[in-house]
Amino acid sequence: MIEFPSNFLWGAATSAYQVEGNNTHSDWWHWEKETGKENSGSACRHYELYARDFDLAQNLHHNTHRFSIEWGRIEPEEGKFSRDELNHYLDVILTLRSRNIEPMVTLHHFTNPDWFSTSIGWENNISNAYFLRYCDFVVRALAKHIRYWITINEPTIYLSHAYILGVWPPQKKSYTKAKAVADNLASAHAGTFRRIHAIYKESGLPRPAVGIAQHMQAFVPCTPAIKNRLAAYMRNKWYNFGLLDKLTREGTLDFIGINYYSRQLVDLKKWGLNNLAKDICQQNHHPLKRNSLGWEIYPDGLYDLLLELKKYRLPVIITENGICTGDDGLRWKYIYAHLNSIHRALENGVPVTGYLYWSLLDNFEWDKGFAPRFGLIDIDYTSYTRTVRESAVKFGQTCKTGILE
Ligand code: FCB
């Protein structure tokens, strides 16, 4: 039997664009149509059905729920802010609170207002001023209901997918632009962190906890060859810890949010900067079970990364961890194994304070569409019926008791 601390945060995460539906003012909405990708359309209709979804989360004993605010709804045209949409999110928050669920709010989860992407974009140095203005509007209105803020979800995934690999909007493949985006996202985070704290102080509210959701993966050398070990070391330093080193140095994190899913087997074909950054083993040398997108299941990696995070002496929250699969038994095994890793890390002195499964609902998995099923709750995309999965019930027991049987 494994027991977690009594004040542990337990729950699940979603993001606005992936569940709400009809985010017509967001850049993704237009991009989906231009590229002919599967459209997000009504998604899970969570924009209308959130109260029922939170009933289910409450029945599953979640005490925390992470969700995001869609910037394109709040500011559909540059400088025009929508009170109605703000009130929608206020109602989302009050609906959670009335079910004794702590809301954790993400201010940016990959999507931007279409006007922002078309005329400004994150590669532009003034981008963070626009972001800050939006955050200011939202935070002032919601501050008294919120203790946990996440400024930006996975900056490294956003910039690599949108500006290096070019598979997400705005599909710009440029290292120079990617570097500018990295710098601008980092300073947008820092500016927002300071602004949030200033607003709470001004309003006489208790100090909130402001963090980031950092994507981390385990980089494992496929063979112990020096080239592979060096590449794994460098990737870990760049992708996993580069931004965290910077933000902790400048003191702009109250907690570290970690999104962890999988590992990457590093196998360098030859020496070169690109190879150091990208080469992976294609041979399936050390096969592990995979999710339906082919990502390997590697719970030990989470343990190793958590131990490395100890040096920052900050609370750590697992802000995402989950599996897309048609095998719900495997989903529970995945959750169980990762909770085990987290518990081992706790025993070794890592201050982990919460675990949020990705995701509460099946949802729109970006350029992969609706096929991947990450949810604790199944969505029928024709009738929008929700069905609670067996894994959700098992996880719910742990949420209720803090015990992993
Ligand atoms: C993370 C994203 C989240 C979801 C999961 C599967 O990288 O933050 O929106 O797509 O992956």
Side-chain angles (χ1 to χ4, degrees):
M1 189 182 85
I2 290 175
E3 196 166 355
F4 286 82
S6 58
N7 53 357
F8 209 68
L9 305 177
W10 292 107
T14 60
S15 89
Y17 197 83
Q18 293 176 273
V19 294
E20 285 179 348
N22 298 308
N23 274 305
T24 56
H25 296 289
S26 300
D27 52 0
W28 265 83
W29 186 263
H30 298 273
W31 183 77
E32 283 162 20
K33 311 239 160 348
E34 280 158 23
T35 52
K37 295 259 177 214
E38 188 170 6
N39 284 197
S40 55
S42 309
C44 307
R45 289 184 51 197
H46 180 71
Y47 187 79
E48 308 132 68
L49 302 177
Y50 59 94
R52 277 201 257 159
D53 291 337
F54 298 156
D55 284 342
L56 297 175
Q58 184 187 27
N59 291 342
L60 292 167
H61 310 286
H62 294 190
N63 63 27
T64 306
H65 180 71
R66 174 181 171 221
F67 68 96
S68 75
I69 291 185
E70 190 71 11
W71 182 3
R73 284 191 187 274
I74 298 290
E75 193 181 356
E77 285 175 52
E78 201 253 284
K80 295 209 171 126
F81 292 88
S82 166
R83 283 269 152 206
D84 286 351
E85 293 290 1
L86 190 66
N87 286 336
H88 166 81
Y89 288 109
L90 177 60
D91 197 58
V92 167
I93 290 163
L94 297 178
T95 305
L96 285 167
R97 283 237 174 269
S98 68
R99 285 158 180 72
N100 288 320
I101 301 176
E102 179 77 38
M104 184 182 289
V105 181
T106 309
L107 288 159
H108 187 273
H109 196 122
F110 297 155
T111 50
N112 302 295
D114 196 44
W115 61 263
F116 174 87
S117 292
T118 319
S119 55
I120 295 148
W122 280 105
E123 65 268 40
N124 194 320
N125 288 345
I126 55 167
S127 53
N128 43 43
Y130 288 92
F131 182 65
L132 198 57
R133 185 174 64 173
Y134 144 73
C135 291
D136 187 276
F137 178 75
V138 169
V139 175
R140 275 182 201 286
L142 304 181
K144 72 169 189 270
H145 307 285
I146 300 297
R147 268 189 284 229
Y148 292 97
W149 294 97
I150 289 179
T151 55
I152 301 171
N153 182 67
E154 300 186 345
T156 48
I157 292 291
Y158 175 72
L159 76 93
S160 62
H161 284 54
Y163 287 86
I164 296 176
L165 303 171
V167 291
W168 287 0
Q171 289 193 294
K172 296 185 182 165
K173 289 192 193 179
S174 152
Y175 278 111
T176 325
K177 288 198 171 117
K179 170 76 175 77
V181 173
D183 292 346
N184 290 330
L185 289 172
S187 63
H189 164 80
T192 309
F193 175 93
R194 294 191 183 105
R195 181 68 59 91
I196 294 176
H197 280 295
I199 293 172
Y200 276 67
K201 215 167 176 185
E202 249 171 55
S203 326
L205 292 166
R207 197 183 151 85
V210 185
I212 200 155
Q214 168 74 355
H215 183 267
M216 284 199 156
Q217 54 184 322
F219 294 105
V220 179
C222 181
T223 68
I226 182 95
K227 59 180 173 74
N228 292 342
R229 281 189 288 148
L230 181 70
Y233 171 83
M234 289 178 69
R235 283 180 212 179
N236 189 41
K237 226 174 147 39
W238 288 336
Y239 296 122
N240 289 335
F241 288 95
L243 181 65
L244 293 180
D245 282 348
K246 182 178 162 60
L247 302 184
T248 49
R249 244 191 338 262
E250 61 187 34
T252 59
L253 286 177
D254 297 314
F255 69 92
I256 299 174
I258 294 304
N259 296 356
Y260 177 84
Y261 289 88
S262 185
R263 76 167 179 186
Q264 196 180 88
L265 263 190
V266 179
D267 196 10
L268 231 64
K269 294 190 190 72
K270 56 175 191 197
W271 289 103
L273 204 58
N274 244 326
N275 305 78
L276 273 171
K278 288 189 191 153
D279 285 0
I280 51 173
C281 174
Q282 310 281 8
Q283 318 287 323
N284 208 17
H285 279 138
H286 312 283
L288 293 174
K289 276 215 159 71
R290 294 169 186 269
N291 74 9
S292 65
L293 285 169
W295 309 350
E296 288 184 316
I297 302 173
Y298 188 59
D300 284 346
L302 178 57
Y303 172 76
D304 295 340
L305 288 164
L306 286 173
L307 281 202
E308 250 187 289
L309 287 168
K310 201 170 163 182
K311 64 180 178 207
Y312 297 124
R313 296 168 182 279
L314 284 173
V316 177
I317 301 174
I318 310 303
T319 38
E320 287 182 27
N321 172 246
I323 179 170
C324 54
T325 175
D327 174 355
D328 193 49
L330 183 61
R331 186 184 325 278
W332 173 241
K333 284 192 188 140
Y334 182 99
I335 297 174
Y336 188 97
H338 287 82
L339 287 178
N340 228 313
S341 289
I342 294 165
H343 193 263
R344 276 201 291 143
L346 272 164
E347 283 181 329
N348 281 291
V350 187
V352 186
T353 59
Y355 175 86
L356 305 178
Y357 178 81
W358 181 272
S359 176
L360 181 65
L361 311 168
D362 285 341
N363 62 50
F364 177 73
E365 181 48 30
W366 307 113
D367 55 321
K368 308 291 187 301
F370 287 104
R373 299 281 183 156
F374 276 96
L376 292 171
I377 297 170
D378 166 272
I379 304 283
D380 176 327
Y381 291 109
T382 316
S383 62
Y384 296 96
T385 307
R386 275 72 170 139
T387 309
V388 174
R389 295 194 163 112
E390 195 51 41
S391 56
V393 176
K394 290 186 173 144
F395 175 55
Q397 272 313 104
T398 302
C399 298
K400 181 178 175 188
T401 59
I403 289 171
L404 189 61
E405 296 280 0

Short mmCIF file of all heavy atoms in Angstrom, two decimals, residues 27-28 30-32 34-37 117 123 158-174 177 367:
data_model
loop_
_atom_site.label_atom_id
_atom_site.label_comp_id
_atom_site.label_asym_id
_atom_site.label_seq_id
_atom_site.Cartn_x
_atom_site.Cartn_y
_atom_site.Cartn_z
N ASP A 27 -6.34 31.17 -33.80
CA ASP A 27 -5.55 30.89 -35.01
C ASP A 27 -5.70 29.45 -35.50
O ASP A 27 -5.77 29.20 -36.71
CB ASP A 27 -4.06 31.27 -34.80
CG ASP A 27 -3.42 30.66 -33.55
OD1 ASP A 27 -4.10 29.93 -32.80
OD2 ASP A 27 -2.22 30.94 -33.32
N TRP A 28 -5.82 28.49 -34.55
CA TRP A 28 -5.98 27.09 -34.96
C TRP A 28 -7.23 26.88 -35.79
O TRP A 28 -7.26 26.06 -36.70
CB TRP A 28 -6.06 26.19 -33.72
CG TRP A 28 -4.74 25.60 -33.35
CD1 TRP A 28 -3.78 26.20 -32.61
CD2 TRP A 28 -4.23 24.33 -33.73
NE1 TRP A 28 -2.71 25.36 -32.49
CE2 TRP A 28 -2.95 24.20 -33.16
CE3 TRP A 28 -4.73 23.26 -34.49
CZ2 TRP A 28 -2.15 23.07 -33.33
CZ3 TRP A 28 -3.94 22.13 -34.65
CH2 TRP A 28 -2.67 22.05 -34.08
N HIS A 30 -8.66 28.73 -37.94
CA HIS A 30 -8.45 29.11 -39.34
C HIS A 30 -7.45 28.16 -40.00
O HIS A 30 -7.61 27.77 -41.15
CB HIS A 30 -7.99 30.56 -39.42
CG HIS A 30 -9.03 31.48 -38.87
ND1 HIS A 30 -10.07 31.98 -39.63
CD2 HIS A 30 -9.26 31.91 -37.61
CE1 HIS A 30 -10.87 32.69 -38.86
NE2 HIS A 30 -10.40 32.67 -37.63
N TRP A 31 -6.43 27.78 -39.24
CA TRP A 31 -5.39 26.91 -39.76
C TRP A 31 -5.95 25.53 -40.12
O TRP A 31 -5.63 24.98 -41.17
CB TRP A 31 -4.28 26.79 -38.72
CG TRP A 31 -3.11 25.98 -39.16
CD1 TRP A 31 -2.12 26.37 -40.02
CD2 TRP A 31 -2.81 24.64 -38.77
NE1 TRP A 31 -1.21 25.34 -40.17
CE2 TRP A 31 -1.61 24.27 -39.42
CE3 TRP A 31 -3.42 23.70 -37.93
CZ2 TRP A 31 -1.03 23.01 -39.26
CZ3 TRP A 31 -2.83 22.46 -37.77
CH2 TRP A 31 -1.65 22.12 -38.43
N GLU A 32 -6.81 24.99 -39.26
CA GLU A 32 -7.44 23.69 -39.54
C GLU A 32 -8.16 23.71 -40.88
O GLU A 32 -8.10 22.77 -41.65
CB GLU A 32 -8.57 23.42 -38.55
CG GLU A 32 -8.22 22.97 -37.18
CD GLU A 32 -9.41 23.19 -36.23
OE1 GLU A 32 -10.58 23.32 -36.67
OE2 GLU A 32 -9.14 23.26 -35.04
N GLU A 34 -7.68 25.91 -43.41
CA GLU A 34 -6.75 26.12 -44.54
C GLU A 34 -6.01 24.84 -44.90
O GLU A 34 -5.75 24.58 -46.07
CB GLU A 34 -5.69 27.16 -44.17
CG GLU A 34 -6.17 28.59 -44.28
CD GLU A 34 -5.32 29.53 -43.43
OE1 GLU A 34 -4.15 29.19 -43.12
OE2 GLU A 34 -5.85 30.59 -43.05
N THR A 35 -5.63 24.06 -43.89
CA THR A 35 -4.80 22.88 -44.16
C THR A 35 -5.63 21.64 -44.45
O THR A 35 -5.08 20.61 -44.82
CB THR A 35 -3.90 22.57 -42.95
OG1 THR A 35 -4.73 22.51 -41.79
CG2 THR A 35 -2.83 23.63 -42.75
N GLY A 36 -6.93 21.73 -44.22
CA GLY A 36 -7.79 20.56 -44.45
C GLY A 36 -7.62 19.48 -43.39
O GLY A 36 -7.97 18.32 -43.60
N LYS A 37 -7.03 19.84 -42.27
CA LYS A 37 -6.89 18.87 -41.16
C LYS A 37 -8.27 18.59 -40.57
O LYS A 37 -9.22 19.35 -40.82
CB LYS A 37 -6.05 19.51 -40.04
CG LYS A 37 -4.63 19.77 -40.44
CD LYS A 37 -3.75 18.69 -39.87
CE LYS A 37 -2.33 18.89 -40.32
NZ LYS A 37 -1.63 17.62 -40.51
N SER A 117 -1.87 36.24 -34.30
CA SER A 117 -0.97 35.45 -35.15
C SER A 117 -0.76 36.10 -36.50
O SER A 117 0.33 36.04 -37.06
CB SER A 117 -1.55 34.05 -35.37
OG SER A 117 -1.51 33.37 -34.16
N GLU A 123 7.13 35.67 -32.54
CA GLU A 123 8.51 35.98 -32.93
C GLU A 123 8.80 37.48 -32.81
O GLU A 123 9.94 37.92 -32.89
CB GLU A 123 8.80 35.50 -34.37
CG GLU A 123 8.01 36.18 -35.48
CD GLU A 123 6.71 35.44 -35.80
OE1 GLU A 123 6.03 34.97 -34.86
OE2 GLU A 123 6.36 35.37 -36.99
N TYR A 158 5.48 24.30 -27.94
CA TYR A 158 4.89 25.29 -28.85
C TYR A 158 5.92 25.76 -29.87
O TYR A 158 5.69 25.75 -31.07
CB TYR A 158 4.32 26.48 -28.05
CG TYR A 158 3.82 27.57 -28.96
CD1 TYR A 158 2.65 27.39 -29.69
CD2 TYR A 158 4.54 28.75 -29.14
CE1 TYR A 158 2.20 28.36 -30.57
CE2 TYR A 158 4.09 29.73 -30.01
CZ TYR A 158 2.92 29.53 -30.73
OH TYR A 158 2.50 30.49 -31.62
N LEU A 159 7.09 26.15 -29.38
CA LEU A 159 8.05 26.73 -30.33
C LEU A 159 8.64 25.68 -31.25
O LEU A 159 8.90 25.96 -32.43
CB LEU A 159 9.11 27.56 -29.61
CG LEU A 159 10.25 26.91 -28.87
CD1 LEU A 159 11.46 26.75 -29.75
CD2 LEU A 159 10.61 27.78 -27.68
N SER A 160 8.82 24.44 -30.77
CA SER A 160 9.39 23.44 -31.67
C SER A 160 8.37 23.00 -32.74
O SER A 160 8.72 22.86 -33.91
CB SER A 160 9.92 22.23 -30.90
OG SER A 160 8.87 21.61 -30.20
N HIS A 161 7.12 22.85 -32.35
CA HIS A 161 6.11 22.41 -33.32
C HIS A 161 5.73 23.52 -34.31
O HIS A 161 5.50 23.27 -35.48
CB HIS A 161 4.85 21.90 -32.61
CG HIS A 161 5.03 20.54 -32.02
ND1 HIS A 161 6.05 20.23 -31.16
CD2 HIS A 161 4.34 19.39 -32.19
CE1 HIS A 161 5.98 18.96 -30.82
NE2 HIS A 161 4.94 18.42 -31.43
N ALA A 162 5.66 24.75 -33.79
CA ALA A 162 5.18 25.85 -34.63
C ALA A 162 6.30 26.54 -35.40
O ALA A 162 6.09 27.06 -36.50
CB ALA A 162 4.42 26.86 -33.76
N TYR A 163 7.53 26.53 -34.85
CA TYR A 163 8.60 27.32 -35.46
C TYR A 163 9.83 26.53 -35.91
O TYR A 163 10.71 27.08 -36.55
CB TYR A 163 9.03 28.44 -34.50
CG TYR A 163 7.99 29.54 -34.42
CD1 TYR A 163 6.93 29.47 -33.53
CD2 TYR A 163 8.07 30.65 -35.27
CE1 TYR A 163 5.97 30.46 -33.47
CE2 TYR A 163 7.12 31.66 -35.20
CZ TYR A 163 6.07 31.55 -34.30
OH TYR A 163 5.12 32.54 -34.27
N ILE A 164 9.93 25.24 -35.52
CA ILE A 164 11.09 24.45 -35.99
C ILE A 164 10.60 23.32 -36.90
O ILE A 164 10.93 23.25 -38.07
CB ILE A 164 11.92 23.91 -34.81
CG1 ILE A 164 12.51 25.10 -34.01
CG2 ILE A 164 13.05 23.01 -35.32
CD1 ILE A 164 13.27 24.70 -32.76
N LEU A 165 9.72 22.47 -36.36
CA LEU A 165 9.20 21.37 -37.18
C LEU A 165 8.19 21.87 -38.20
O LEU A 165 7.98 21.27 -39.25
CB LEU A 165 8.55 20.30 -36.29
CG LEU A 165 9.45 19.71 -35.19
CD1 LEU A 165 8.64 18.84 -34.24
CD2 LEU A 165 10.59 18.91 -35.82
N GLY A 166 7.53 22.99 -37.86
CA GLY A 166 6.57 23.58 -38.79
C GLY A 166 5.31 22.74 -38.98
O GLY A 166 4.70 22.75 -40.06
N VAL A 167 4.89 22.00 -37.93
CA VAL A 167 3.69 21.17 -38.08
C VAL A 167 2.45 21.80 -37.44
O VAL A 167 1.35 21.26 -37.55
CB VAL A 167 3.90 19.74 -37.52
CG1 VAL A 167 4.89 18.97 -38.39
CG2 VAL A 167 4.39 19.77 -36.06
N TRP A 168 2.62 22.89 -36.75
CA TRP A 168 1.51 23.62 -36.12
C TRP A 168 1.55 25.07 -36.62
O TRP A 168 2.62 25.55 -37.03
CB TRP A 168 1.66 23.63 -34.60
CG TRP A 168 1.36 22.33 -33.91
CD1 TRP A 168 0.98 21.14 -34.47
CD2 TRP A 168 1.43 22.09 -32.49
NE1 TRP A 168 0.81 20.18 -33.49
CE2 TRP A 168 1.08 20.74 -32.26
CE3 TRP A 168 1.75 22.89 -31.38
CZ2 TRP A 168 1.04 20.17 -30.99
CZ3 TRP A 168 1.72 22.33 -30.12
CH2 TRP A 168 1.36 20.98 -29.93
N PRO A 169 0.40 25.74 -36.56
CA PRO A 169 0.44 27.14 -36.99
C PRO A 169 1.39 27.96 -36.10
O PRO A 169 1.47 27.65 -34.91
CB PRO A 169 -1.02 27.61 -36.79
CG PRO A 169 -1.62 26.68 -35.79
CD PRO A 169 -0.90 25.36 -35.99
N PRO A 170 2.12 28.91 -36.63
CA PRO A 170 2.06 29.44 -38.00
C PRO A 170 3.01 28.75 -38.99
O PRO A 170 3.29 29.31 -40.06
CB PRO A 170 2.46 30.90 -37.79
CG PRO A 170 3.41 30.86 -36.64
CD PRO A 170 2.97 29.73 -35.77
N GLN A 171 3.45 27.52 -38.68
CA GLN A 171 4.27 26.72 -39.61
C GLN A 171 5.46 27.47 -40.19
O GLN A 171 5.67 27.48 -41.39
CB GLN A 171 3.40 26.23 -40.77
CG GLN A 171 2.41 25.17 -40.35
CD GLN A 171 1.79 24.48 -41.54
OE1 GLN A 171 1.07 25.11 -42.30
NE2 GLN A 171 2.07 23.21 -41.71
N LYS A 172 6.23 28.10 -39.30
CA LYS A 172 7.44 28.79 -39.78
C LYS A 172 8.63 27.96 -39.36
O LYS A 172 8.85 27.76 -38.18
CB LYS A 172 7.51 30.18 -39.18
CG LYS A 172 6.36 31.05 -39.63
CD LYS A 172 6.47 32.47 -39.14
CE LYS A 172 5.24 33.24 -39.59
NZ LYS A 172 5.03 34.50 -38.92
N LYS A 173 9.39 27.49 -40.34
CA LYS A 173 10.56 26.67 -39.98
C LYS A 173 11.78 27.57 -39.96
O LYS A 173 12.40 27.79 -41.00
CB LYS A 173 10.76 25.57 -41.01
CG LYS A 173 9.73 24.49 -40.97
CD LYS A 173 10.20 23.34 -41.84
CE LYS A 173 9.08 22.36 -42.08
NZ LYS A 173 9.45 21.27 -42.92
N SER A 174 12.10 28.10 -38.80
CA SER A 174 13.25 29.01 -38.74
C SER A 174 13.85 29.00 -37.34
O SER A 174 13.16 29.32 -36.36
CB SER A 174 12.78 30.41 -39.14
OG SER A 174 13.58 31.39 -38.51
N LYS A 177 13.78 32.53 -35.83
CA LYS A 177 12.47 32.90 -35.28
C LYS A 177 12.19 32.10 -34.00
O LYS A 177 11.67 32.63 -33.02
CB LYS A 177 11.36 32.66 -36.29
CG LYS A 177 11.41 33.67 -37.41
CD LYS A 177 10.11 33.73 -38.18
CE LYS A 177 10.15 34.91 -39.12
NZ LYS A 177 10.08 34.54 -40.52
N ASP A 367 -3.04 18.38 -34.18
CA ASP A 367 -2.97 17.92 -35.58
C ASP A 367 -3.29 16.43 -35.72
O ASP A 367 -3.42 15.94 -36.84
CB ASP A 367 -1.58 18.23 -36.18
CG ASP A 367 -0.44 17.66 -35.34
OD1 ASP A 367 -0.53 17.69 -34.09
OD2 ASP A 367 0.52 17.15 -35.94
#
